[in-house]
Amino acid sequence: DQQVKQNSPSLSVQEGRISILNCDYTNSMFDYFLWYKKYPAEGPTFLISISSIKDKNEDGRFTVFLNKSAKHLSLHIVPSQPGDSAVYFCAASRNYQLIWGAGTKLIIKP
Amino acid sequence: NAGVTQTPKFRVLKTGQSMTLLCAQDMNHEYMYWYRQDPGMGLRLIHYSVGEGTTAKGEVPDGYNVSRLKKQNFLLGLESAAPSQTSVYFCASSPGTGSFYSNQPQHFGDGTRLSIL
C-alpha cells in the first residue's frame, strides 16, 4: 500500500519553462512534506519542504504547494535550467520516519 | 566537508555470506538511518537510530541488523545474504535537536550498490 505516490515516472520540459512535479498521499497524519533531488550515483539532496499547516513555501526558483483536502502537493521550478535534470522524490514524515514516493525523472531540454 | 560517507561503494556477495556496511558522519548528528532503494520504488527505511546506543526498526527490517556504538557511526549488517537483498543502500543523518516534527532534512551518503548472487 503506497502511502506516497508520484504517478509520473518522467517529465520533459523545455529550458526556461515551468516544471511541475506532482505527489499524492493517503495518510492525513503526515506532518511534513519534503522534496529531494537525486543525480545518478549520488545520494538524494534536500530541496525544499512544507509543514502540513501551510499551503505554500517558496525558495528561489522552487515553490511547493500543499492541498490538504486533496492530499496533493506539487513542486514548481521556474525557470527550469539544464542542471535541474535529475530524479525528484517526494517524501512525507510521520513518527521519526520518512515515507518516499518512487520518484519522477525530470529532463530539461535545451 | 565529508558529510556522510559510506563504505564500500560496491560489493558482490554469494547467497549465505555475511557483510557489514559502514556509515560515518562528521556533522555531529543525533539521528542516523539506513534505507534501501529498489528499481521503480522509493527509498524504504530499514533501521534508524535516534542517538548513540539506540536502534529501532523501520519499514523493512527483516534480514538486517544494526549497531550504533559511536555517535558518528551506524553499521548495517547482513548475517546471511539473500538475492532479495540486492539493492542500493543509502545511509542518512539528521540533527535531531528539538522536536523531530520540525523541519530537519536528512543528509545522505552516495550509496552502496550490493549484489547478491
Side-chain angles (χ1 to χ4, degrees):
Chain A
D1 178 30
Q2 283 187 288
Q3 297 187 61
V4 178
K5 292 184 182 180
Q6 293 177 258
N7 291 318
S8 299
S10 66
L11 175 67
S12 187
V13 174
Q14 202 75 35
E15 181 180 355
R17 300 287 185 96
I18 183 172
S19 295
I20 300 176
L21 297 107
N22 295 303
C23 179
D24 296 298
Y25 62 96
T26 58
N27 192 332
S28 58
M29 299 301 292
F30 289 136
D31 51 7
Y32 257 93
F33 301 89
L34 303 91
W35 285 93
Y36 281 79
K37 176 180 178 179
K38 185 183 180 303
Y39 293 118
E42 294 184 8
T45 55
F46 171 72
L47 200 54
I48 191 170
S49 66
I50 187 167
S51 164
S52 61
I53 62 173
K54 301 201 171 175
D55 54 20
K56 178 182 175 181
N57 188 27
E58 200 169 351
D59 183 2
R61 296 186 298 115
F62 303 93
T63 303
V64 57
F65 295 93
L66 176 62
N67 182 334
K68 287 183 68 177
S69 61
K71 293 191 175 68
H72 177 84
L73 65 155
S74 61
L75 174 68
H76 293 210
I77 306 173
V78 183
S80 300
Q81 299 175 353
D84 296 331
S85 293
V87 176
Y88 289 78
F89 290 98
C90 166
S93 76
R94 183 177 72 91
N95 294 340
Y96 295 96
Q97 299 190 25
L98 282 181
I99 308 299
W100 296 69
T104 296
K105 184 175 183 179
L106 177 63
I107 301 164
I108 305 300
K109 300 180 293 185
Chain B
N1 275 5
V4 178
T5 303
Q6 292 183 233
T7 53
K9 295 190 184 307
F10 304 95
R11 186 73 185 267
V12 178
L13 289 179
K14 294 182 179 178
T15 297
Q17 286 185 319
S18 64
M19 81 160 294
T20 300
L21 307 185
L22 173 62
C23 177
Q25 54 97 0
D26 62 3
M27 297 172 283
N28 201 34
H29 284 173
E30 289 292 332
Y31 295 171
M32 296 187 75
Y33 316 81
W34 275 107
Y35 291 91
R36 60 179 288 172
Q37 186 190 14
D38 299 301
M41 300 182 71
L43 279 70
R44 292 183 292 167
L45 184 65
I46 304 171
H47 287 279
Y48 64 97
S49 167
V50 299
E52 181 178 316
T54 74
T55 63
K57 294 181 180 180
E59 185 183 354
V60 289
D62 294 342
Y64 305 95
N65 57 75
V66 288
S67 64
R68 182 101 182 266
L69 298 179
K70 292 183 179 180
K71 185 177 183 179
Q72 63 268 31
N73 295 336
F74 196 28
L75 280 64
L76 177 71
L78 286 73
E79 291 185 347
S80 179
S84 61
Q85 293 177 306
T86 293
S87 189
V88 180
Y89 291 85
F90 288 100
C91 176
S93 70
S94 64
T97 55
S99 168
F100 180 84
Y101 298 96
S102 61
N103 177 16
Q104 296 180 2
Q106 296 175 16
H107 299 255
F108 283 80
D110 287 338
T112 295
R113 187 173 296 275
L114 183 62
S115 294
I116 315 295
L117 304 178

